[in-house]
Amino acid sequence: GNSVTQMEGPVTLSEEAFLTINCTYTATGYPSLFWYVQYPGEGLQLLLKATKADDKGSNKGFEATYRKETTSFHLEKGSVQVSDSAVYFCALGTTNAGKSTFGDGTTLTVKP
Amino acid sequence: DAGITQSPRYKITETGRQVTLMCHQTWSHSYMFWYRQDLGHGLRLIYYSAAADITDKGEVPDGYVVSRSKTENFPLTLESATRSQTSVYFCASSVARNTEAFFGQGTRLTVV
């Protein structure tokens, strides 16, 4: 079945450091790929997405590229800010059966 | 207001009681989902629905019941609450299969 494996956290960085959160997946077919962000006390919200191989999703300085050959969708940001502290989830789009698949989440803390 | 809303935001109940968590969306999205979020387990799918009157089990359905008589509502009922069902519950919706999900703010349920 479909699955998502995310880099284990927590991750602690200093402000302006480079961020990478690894995400690899196993899927039948070619689902869309998503990164969601969850701020404390809130629900998840979409950060970026990619719908097909080699697509690059980007938003708020974050980027991720849909790599079919390595089944990966790593999240990157060149210079993190304190306000980026949150939990990040990698996810596969829903299958024909309607089921969705999320990674376990990676907690990022950015220190000033 | 437009969007997806969950109620209540916080709930404390006793073991053995029935409790219903409400979810309402104003977009007429076809798909709706219930997840629970626990430390160390990420997001786990409880039930999902592809349309009104169509529901199906997710990863952890035992002890839960759902219904979807109207497109906009997707209540989740714990028939006889147990302490293991203490969690944060998120409802989500999406317009179609393989598209981004929109999440509610969550309901923090404590079973004592």
Side-chain angles (χ1 to χ4, degrees), chain A residues 38 43, chain B residues 6-9 11 19 21-23 33-38 43-44 46 60 62-64 76-78 81-92 103-111:
Chain A
Q38 183 181 30
Chain B
Q6 293 182 235
S7 60
R9 290 293 311 277
K11 175 75 176 178
V19 60
L21 309 184
M22 304 302 292
C23 179
F33 309 87
W34 274 107
Y35 296 90
R36 58 179 291 174
Q37 184 176 32
D38 305 288
L43 280 176
R44 292 184 289 177
I46 305 171
V60 288
D62 292 345
Y64 303 95
L76 176 74
T77 298
L78 287 67
T82 64
R83 289 196 180 88
S84 66
Q85 292 178 309
T86 292
S87 185
V88 180
Y89 291 85
F90 287 100
C91 179
F103 283 78
Q105 293 282 76
T107 295
R108 183 174 293 276
L109 176 68
T110 303
V111 183

Side-chain angles (χ1 to χ4, degrees), chain A residues 32 36 38 94-97 100, chain B residues 35 37 48 97-98 100-101:
Chain A
S32 295
Y36 291 87
Q38 183 181 30
T94 51
T95 65
N96 286 329
S100 55
Chain B
Y35 296 90
Q37 184 176 32
Y48 63 98
R97 185 183 65 81
N98 208 27
E100 70 178 277

Side-chain angles (χ1 to χ4, degrees), chain B:
Chain B
D1 289 341
I4 183 164
T5 54
Q6 293 182 235
S7 60
R9 290 293 311 277
Y10 303 92
K11 175 75 176 178
I12 300 174
T13 192
E14 294 179 340
T15 301
R17 290 195 179 267
Q18 181 181 82
V19 60
T20 296
L21 309 184
M22 304 302 292
C23 179
H24 175 79
Q25 52 108 351
T26 61
W27 296 300
S28 297
H29 284 174
S30 293
Y31 282 84
M32 294 189 76
F33 309 87
W34 274 107
Y35 296 90
R36 58 179 291 174
Q37 184 176 32
D38 305 288
L39 274 176
H41 290 283
L43 280 176
R44 292 184 289 177
L45 182 64
I46 305 171
Y47 270 96
Y48 63 98
S49 168
D53 297 322
I54 300 174
T55 62
D56 208 344
K57 296 177 180 179
E59 184 184 352
V60 288
D62 292 345
Y64 303 95
V65 174
V66 293
S67 62
R68 194 163 176 211
S69 57
K70 293 184 178 181
T71 298
E72 61 267 28
N73 296 323
F74 192 41
L76 176 74
T77 298
L78 287 67
E79 295 183 296
S80 178
T82 64
R83 289 196 180 88
S84 66
Q85 292 178 309
T86 292
S87 185
V88 180
Y89 291 85
F90 287 100
C91 179
S93 71
S94 64
V95 63
R97 185 183 65 81
N98 208 27
T99 59
E100 70 178 277
F102 295 84
F103 283 78
Q105 293 282 76
T107 295
R108 183 174 293 276
L109 176 68
T110 303
V111 183
V112 298

Side-chain angles (χ1 to χ4, degrees), chain A residues 2-4 90-95 99-103, chain B residues 35:
Chain A
N2 292 356
S3 66
V4 173
C90 184
L92 298 177
T94 51
T95 65
K99 291 187 178 182
S100 55
T101 306
F102 282 79
Chain B
Y35 296 90

